[in-house]
């Protein structure tokens, strides 16, 4: 009976229950089928739709069934398992310890199968045991005892000491019939013995061969004995005579081969797992149906998965044991191999990271690659390397930069630089993880370092936080700041509250499964679940209550327009501006002396004030704030057209000034944002205005209209005098020809003060003809001109006149 396909689907891939207090069931996600949680198979038994395998690596027995729940039972410590048999309802286990033989049985019909010590003391000196659906047959040199499960105990139901069962035999059993090969007589015999009637149904002397191991296979219509001893392959011989070869299975066999049969299915231990063959009696052949293995090179299996990541290309699993990446998308597996890199010594990739725009990065020991997609094909392209002699331990991507952890340091590689920059020493680093706001966590076994990433630089965000993380293998952080750490040997994931003073354990998720315990070597968060690569060659997932961006609901920031008022304060020491006070990974540095705008009465956190500074709003501890008063200005300024006035820098209330406006600047807003603001009075309210949009107001000087006239002599071509003083007795400065154009710049009695050709003096009004103005207009304009002419000009004219008068004397 072919049971494995159904059993694996029914019992290996179980849906997880919701996490209980300190434990949570996990689900095996990959491989999607064919996964068999046995690392080193040594013994196999099959009967009545069940398969049992002893895993020497785990020192445990795994039982799979079509009908009953799967069971995994630990073998007794310090005892060597030497035998394994199955009936339809019970498992029998034989062990040895210090040359003492012990037996254990398990009731497979019980809700929880356990190995229980039992005694097989009849017959004495048991040498050989086989089983069929109903009984275990224990044979000594003289007798055969039949044992069966009864009332929860393994009891003997019959002892047969007929002459035909005496002697040393190799035999198989089916439905109460024993098929013996005699091994201790000079004449080899084959005997079919019915235990119900206790009679020999057939005795075949001189049987053609003597096997060393047999198993019953086939059915009543086509019964056969699967036997060795006929060469290097297993043969199916007739159960009627024990010698006629029905067909050669082609299954390789040597003295170390362990096999079992169940109907037309044969199970052969291959060292790490079990090969499953189907027998076709009509076609006379055996076909390998599948290989049950924890690890392998076959499609869908892993040799040593180390990391898992989620990207637009699909779910990516690093499998360095097979030197490849497996990419799962829409039920299709695509592989990316590094075999072409073997020539330059590049090792298989083991760590994964995904950027915010979906680029997958994969790291080997000395090189980081970027996963490139060309149609349906995938390839790895070199991205950057690390210095010779250093080995890459882990990678993470902040969304802007790639962070690389080696066994000696932390490097940051920004896309614009093209090569990694050494940013910090880290000889004891175990793993790195990226979180929101370009925060990076570096985990060691003694605690966590926390950095802020900017370009290729790392800045310590908070001091190193000590925490016992011995045995930890990987770290991840959800969107709410909770930290998740995987512990390989302990088979658990622990979540921590990400407190400033240290990591505080919240829950320990012991990873449990009906068949096997997980050993996570990595942890990746997706929704509320933690996906992990297990050293047991699978990828599992467990619901750990992680919070992603979609389900993250932080306390809303307060409405700044609802503040009772605001004031200014200076930060008295280097501190932090928190987006949320209990989330240090949301904080940014704020330097000593920085001026902040404080909003009164709206802080949602005790001991903190909600403030604005340098384009950001957040919470600052009250203890580092000292009140600051702005400097008064009270001067008139011109505000540029199109400028926006704000009630405060975060306000939704604003006024846009359409035209250039003259207003009063009241103060300098205490130097907020480095002097970027001035507070102004506008239409009866106080607003914040950008200092860059304001300029000092200058009182405008009215523009004077210039007045001209022409010299008018008593005859054409004549001359008029221009005097130093408004007196014809004063010195003549110059003479102007009839029609000369001159500017009227002043008036004194009967004289105009005129200027032309760089000279200034007085001319009689009667000798100057004004250009196009009435006398009233001339008087008005001249008065304005007199006011506008600088004192210097008048002084010069007067000084020159007096000088010439003295010279005449």
């Amino acid at each position: 009976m072919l049971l494995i396909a159904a059993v694996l689907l029914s019992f290996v891939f179980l849906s997880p229950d919701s996490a209980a207090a300190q434990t949570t069931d996990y689900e095996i996600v990959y491989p999607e089928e064919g996964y068999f949680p046995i690392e080193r198979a040594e013994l196999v038994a099959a009967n009545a739709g069940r398969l049992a395998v002893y895993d020497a690596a785990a020192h445990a027995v795994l039982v799979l069934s079509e009908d009953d729940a799967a069971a995994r039972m630990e073998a007794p410590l310090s005892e060597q398992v030497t035998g394994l048999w199955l009936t339809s309802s019970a498992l029998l286990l034989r062990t040895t310890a210090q040359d003492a033989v012990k037996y254990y049985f398990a009731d497979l019909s019980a809700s929880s199968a356990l190995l229980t010590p039992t005694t097989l003391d009849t017959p004495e000196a048991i040498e050989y045991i086989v089983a069929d659906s109903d009984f275990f047959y224990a044979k000594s040199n003289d007798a055969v005892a039949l044992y069966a499960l009864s009332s929860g105990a393994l009891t003997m139901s019959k002892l047969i000491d007929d002459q035909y069962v005496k002697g040393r035999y190799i035999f198989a059993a089916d439905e109460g019939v024993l098929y013996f090969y005699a091994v201790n007589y000079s004449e080899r015999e084959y005997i079919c013995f019915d235990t119900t009637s206790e009679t020999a149904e057939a005795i075949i002397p001189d049987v053609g061969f003597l096997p060393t191991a047999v198993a019953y296979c086939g059915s009543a219509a086509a019964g056969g004995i699967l036997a060795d001893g006929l060469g290097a392959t297993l043969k199916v011989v007739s159960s009627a005579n024990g010698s006629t070869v029905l067909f050669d299975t082609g299954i390789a066999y040597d003295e170390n081969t362990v096999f079992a049969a169940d109907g037309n299915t044969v199970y052969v231990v291959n060292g790490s797992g079990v090969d499953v063959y189907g027998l076709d009696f009509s076609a006379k052949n055996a076909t390998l149906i599948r290989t049950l293995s924890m690890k392998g090179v076959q499609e869908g299996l892993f040799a040593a998965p180390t990391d898992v990541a989620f990207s637009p290309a699909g779910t990516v699993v690093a499998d360095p044991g097979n030197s490849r990446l497996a990419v799962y998308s829409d039920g299709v597996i695509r592989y990316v191999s590094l075999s072409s890199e073997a020539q330059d010594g590049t090792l298989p990739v083991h760590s994964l990271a995904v950027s915010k725009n979906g680029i997958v990065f994969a790291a080997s020991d000395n090189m980081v690659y970027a996963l490139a997609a060309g149609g349906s094909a995938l390839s790895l392209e070199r991205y950057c390397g690390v210095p010779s002699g250093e080995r890459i331990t882990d990678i993470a991507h902040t969304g802007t930069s790639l962070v690389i952890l080696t066994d000696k340091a932390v490097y940051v590689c920004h896309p614009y630089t093209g090569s990694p920059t050494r940013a910090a020493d880290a000889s004891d680093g175990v793993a790195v993880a990226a979180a929101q706001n370009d925060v990076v966590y570096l985990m060691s076994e003694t605690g966590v370092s926390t950095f802020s990433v900017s370009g290729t630089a790392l800045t310590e965000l908070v001091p190193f936080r000590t925490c016992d993380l011995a045995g930890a293998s990987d770290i991840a952080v959800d969107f709410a700041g909770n930290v998740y750490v995987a512990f390989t040997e302990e088979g658990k994931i622990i979540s921590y509250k990400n407190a400033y003073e240290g990591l505080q354990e919240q829950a320990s998720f012991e990873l449990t499964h009906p068949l096997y315990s997980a050993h996570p070597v990595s942890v990746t968060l997706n929704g509320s679940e933690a996906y992990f690569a297990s050293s047991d060659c699978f990828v599992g997932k467990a619901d750990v209550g992680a919070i992603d961006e979609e389900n993250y609901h932080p306390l809303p920031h307060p409405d700044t327009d609802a503040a009772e008022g605001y004031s200014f304060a200076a930060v008295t020491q280097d501190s932090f501006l928190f987006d949320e006070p209990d989330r240090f990974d949301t904080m940014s540095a704020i330097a000593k002396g920085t001026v902040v705008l404080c909003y009164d009465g709206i802080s949602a956190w005790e001991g903190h004030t909600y403030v604005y500074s340098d384009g950001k709003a957040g919470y600052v501890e009250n203890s580092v704030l000292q009140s600051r008063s702005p400097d008064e200005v009270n001067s008139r300024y011109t505000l540029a057209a199109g400028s926006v006035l704000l009630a405060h820098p975060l306000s939704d209330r604003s006024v846009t000034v359409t035209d250039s406006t003259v207003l009063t600047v009241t103060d300098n807003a205490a130097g907020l944002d480095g002097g970027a603001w001035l507070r102004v009075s506008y239409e009866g309210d106080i607003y914040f205005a950008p200092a860059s949009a304001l300029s000092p107001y200058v009182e405008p000087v009215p523009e004077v209209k210039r007045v001209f006239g022409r010299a008018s002599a008593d005859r054409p071509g004549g001359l008029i005098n221009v005097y130093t003083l408004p007196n014809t007795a004063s010195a003549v400065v110059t003479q102007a020809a009839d029609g000369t154009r001159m500017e009227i710049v002043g008036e004194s009695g009967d004289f105009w003060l005129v200027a032309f050709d760089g000279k200034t003096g007085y001319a009689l009004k009667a000798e100057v003809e004004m250009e196009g103005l009435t006398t009233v207009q001339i008087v008005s304009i001249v008065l304005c001109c007199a006011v506008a002419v600088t004192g210097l000009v008048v002084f010069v004219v007067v000084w020159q006149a007096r000088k010439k008068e003295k010279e005449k004397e």
Side-chain angles (χ1 to χ4, degrees):
M1 178 181 291
L2 182 59
L3 63 92
I4 294 303
V7 171
L8 289 176
L9 291 175
S10 299
F11 297 104
V12 178
F13 301 105
L14 300 177
S15 298
D17 297 326
S18 57
Q22 295 297 313
T23 63
T24 183
D25 285 352
Y26 67 85
E27 178 183 352
I28 297 176
V29 182
Y30 305 113
E32 295 176 295
E33 60 180 23
Y35 179 74
F36 191 64
I38 296 293
E39 183 176 355
R40 192 169 77 245
E42 279 195 358
L43 299 173
V44 62
N47 210 327
R50 280 194 173 91
L51 173 67
V53 181
Y54 168 64
D55 183 2
H59 198 51
V61 177
L62 176 70
V63 180
L64 299 176
S65 170
E66 286 181 331
D67 304 319
D68 303 323
R72 182 178 182 271
M73 293 164 280
E74 306 291 333
L77 294 175
S78 304
E79 297 181 24
Q80 181 182 0
V81 177
T82 57
L84 181 67
W85 301 272
L86 273 176
T87 68
S88 59
S89 59
L91 169 78
L92 179 63
L93 189 74
R94 182 181 63 202
T95 69
T96 58
Q98 299 179 346
D99 297 329
V101 177
K102 297 181 180 180
Y103 293 96
Y104 300 85
F105 84 97
D107 182 355
L108 300 180
S109 63
S111 58
S112 179
L114 298 173
L115 286 172
T116 304
T118 189
T119 302
L120 271 66
D121 53 2
T122 303
E124 295 182 358
I126 295 172
E127 296 178 349
Y128 202 88
I129 298 175
V130 298
D132 61 12
S133 297
D134 300 313
F135 297 101
F136 297 108
Y137 301 90
K139 186 180 183 308
S140 68
N141 193 46
D142 298 316
V144 175
L146 280 64
Y147 287 86
L149 189 66
S150 177
S151 301
L154 193 64
T155 58
M156 187 183 72
S157 60
K158 181 182 286 190
L159 177 65
I160 301 174
D161 58 2
D162 188 276
Q163 61 174 330
Y164 292 107
V165 302
K166 293 183 182 299
R168 298 183 63 191
Y169 295 98
I170 299 298
F171 69 103
D174 180 60
E175 296 185 357
V177 177
L178 306 181
Y179 301 91
F180 289 105
Y181 285 92
V183 296
N184 60 334
Y185 297 109
S186 58
E187 293 184 0
R188 298 176 179 178
E189 292 181 319
Y190 174 75
I191 302 171
C192 298
F193 187 86
D194 188 334
T195 59
T196 301
S197 61
E198 298 188 26
T199 59
E201 296 183 342
I203 302 174
I204 311 297
D206 300 324
V207 67
F209 70 98
L210 189 63
T212 58
V214 295
Y216 185 85
C217 60
S219 62
I225 302 294
L226 189 70
D228 67 314
L230 294 171
T233 57
L234 291 177
K235 308 293 192 300
V236 176
V237 299
S238 170
S239 60
N241 58 37
S243 59
T244 301
V245 177
L246 301 179
F247 60 92
D248 188 339
T249 66
I251 300 172
Y253 178 86
D254 62 28
E255 60 182 5
N256 297 315
T257 301
V258 177
F259 63 95
D262 175 21
N264 292 344
T265 308
V266 179
Y267 303 94
V268 181
V269 172
N270 63 21
S272 61
V274 176
D275 292 327
V276 183
Y277 295 87
L279 300 179
D280 189 332
F281 278 76
S282 59
K284 296 185 177 182
N285 62 27
T287 304
L288 179 64
I289 300 171
R290 66 178 67 237
T291 295
L292 306 177
S293 179
M294 174 185 287
K295 60 183 178 181
V297 299
Q298 302 95 318
E299 182 172 308
L301 293 182
F302 303 113
T306 54
D307 207 355
V308 59
F310 298 92
S311 77
T315 303
V316 185
V317 180
D319 184 15
N322 279 324
S323 299
R324 66 191 185 191
L325 294 179
V327 182
Y328 296 83
S329 179
D330 298 327
V332 176
I333 309 174
R334 291 181 289 174
Y335 289 104
V336 187
S337 175
L338 272 183
S339 57
S340 62
E341 299 286 348
Q343 296 178 359
D344 61 14
T346 301
L347 299 175
V349 296
H350 54 70
S351 298
L352 302 172
V354 181
S355 68
K356 288 183 179 179
N357 58 355
I359 299 176
V360 178
F361 295 92
S364 67
D365 278 1
N366 51 25
M367 183 67 61
V368 178
Y369 299 85
L371 184 65
S376 61
L378 297 172
S379 62
L380 289 172
E381 298 178 352
R382 291 185 178 219
Y383 187 73
C384 65
V386 295
S388 177
E390 295 190 30
R391 180 179 57 82
I392 297 176
T393 303
D394 197 12
I395 58 176
H397 204 284
T398 65
T400 57
S401 299
L402 179 68
V403 180
I404 306 169
L405 172 66
T406 73
D407 54 356
K408 295 181 180 179
V410 179
Y411 293 84
V412 180
C413 185
H414 193 276
Y416 298 129
T417 63
S419 60
T421 300
R422 188 183 180 109
D425 293 334
S427 59
D428 59 350
V430 174
V432 288
Q436 63 168 317
N437 298 331
D438 292 334
V439 174
V440 167
Y441 297 86
L442 168 61
M443 180 184 73
S444 69
E445 290 197 344
T446 57
V448 174
S449 298
T450 310
F451 301 98
S452 177
V453 180
S454 178
T456 58
L458 289 180
T459 303
E460 189 174 59
L461 193 58
V462 295
F464 177 80
R465 293 174 294 156
T466 301
C467 184
D468 183 7
L469 299 175
S473 54
D474 200 12
I475 181 174
V477 185
D478 72 6
F479 208 81
N482 301 304
V483 174
Y484 294 82
V485 179
F487 293 83
T488 303
E489 293 302 319
E490 298 178 52
K492 64 183 180 182
I493 296 172
I494 298 180
S495 71
Y496 297 88
K497 179 178 174 58
N498 204 354
Y500 181 90
E501 59 274 13
L503 301 185
Q504 300 171 359
E505 183 174 330
Q506 297 182 123
S508 178
F509 300 95
E510 307 288 340
L511 299 171
T512 60
H513 191 278
L515 298 182
Y516 218 63
S517 56
H519 297 90
V521 297
S522 70
V523 59
T524 303
L525 302 176
N526 186 34
S528 66
E529 296 171 318
Y531 281 69
F532 58 89
S534 175
S535 60
D536 311 288
C537 296
F538 66 84
V539 172
K541 69 176 181 179
D543 196 331
V544 295
I547 300 174
D548 58 12
E549 184 173 6
E550 182 179 352
N551 295 297
Y552 178 57
H553 303 293
L555 188 70
H557 278 226
D559 180 5
T560 53
D561 283 330
E564 298 171 359
Y566 57 79
S567 58
F568 299 97
V571 178
T572 59
Q573 64 186 53
D574 289 346
S575 187
F576 299 99
L577 179 73
F578 290 88
D579 193 51
E580 297 177 45
D582 61 347
R583 288 287 305 280
F584 70 84
D585 54 346
T586 68
M587 71 188 186
S588 55
I590 188 165
K592 177 181 178 181
T594 300
V595 174
V596 298
L597 180 67
C598 304
Y599 295 95
D600 302 330
I602 62 171
S603 177
W605 302 94
E606 184 177 352
H608 292 78
T609 298
Y610 193 69
V611 306
Y612 162 85
S613 175
D614 293 329
K616 294 182 290 186
Y619 297 88
V620 173
E621 290 183 89
N622 294 342
S623 60
V624 300
L625 295 177
Q626 186 175 49
S627 179
R628 169 72 64 86
S629 298
D631 296 327
E632 292 186 5
V633 176
N634 289 326
S635 297
R636 302 188 76 192
Y637 277 70
T638 300
L639 180 68
S643 299
V644 177
L645 301 179
L646 297 171
H648 54 82
L650 295 178
S651 180
D652 291 330
R653 302 195 307 269
S654 63
V655 176
T656 301
V657 179
T658 306
D659 302 316
S660 294
T661 303
V662 177
L663 40 68
T664 299
V665 171
T666 62
D667 58 62
N668 70 343
L672 183 67
D673 289 352
W677 302 95
L678 293 172
R679 289 202 296 178
V680 302
S681 175
Y682 181 73
E683 295 183 348
D685 290 317
I686 301 298
Y687 292 92
F688 282 74
S692 60
L694 291 163
S695 58
Y697 172 72
V698 177
E699 190 75 32
V701 176
E703 183 179 355
V704 178
K705 187 173 182 178
R706 299 175 71 181
V707 179
F708 293 89
R710 292 183 183 275
S712 179
D714 55 358
R715 61 182 176 81
L719 298 174
I720 69 168
N721 291 329
V722 177
Y723 302 97
T724 57
L725 294 174
N727 189 324
T728 56
S730 65
V732 176
V733 177
T734 187
Q735 289 182 316
D738 183 47
T740 299
R741 195 169 190 261
M742 54 187 67
E743 184 176 2
I744 310 301
V745 296
E747 177 192 21
S748 180
D750 294 332
F751 290 84
W752 294 119
L753 181 60
V754 298
F756 66 97
D757 294 337
K759 297 177 181 180
T760 304
Y762 289 92
L764 286 166
K765 292 180 179 179
E767 296 179 343
V768 177
E769 183 179 349
M770 304 302 291
E771 292 185 348
L773 294 174
T774 66
T775 302
V776 175
Q777 289 173 321
I778 292 171
V779 172
S780 175
I781 292 171
V782 167
L783 287 175
C784 290
C785 290
V787 175
V789 172
T790 64
L792 180 59
V793 173
V794 175
F795 171 79
V796 170
V797 171
V798 173
W799 178 81
Q800 289 177 335
R802 289 179 177 174
K803 180 180 179 184
K804 289 189 178 183
E805 289 294 326
K806 287 183 178 181
E807 289 176 350
K808 292 172 77 174
E809 294 174 357

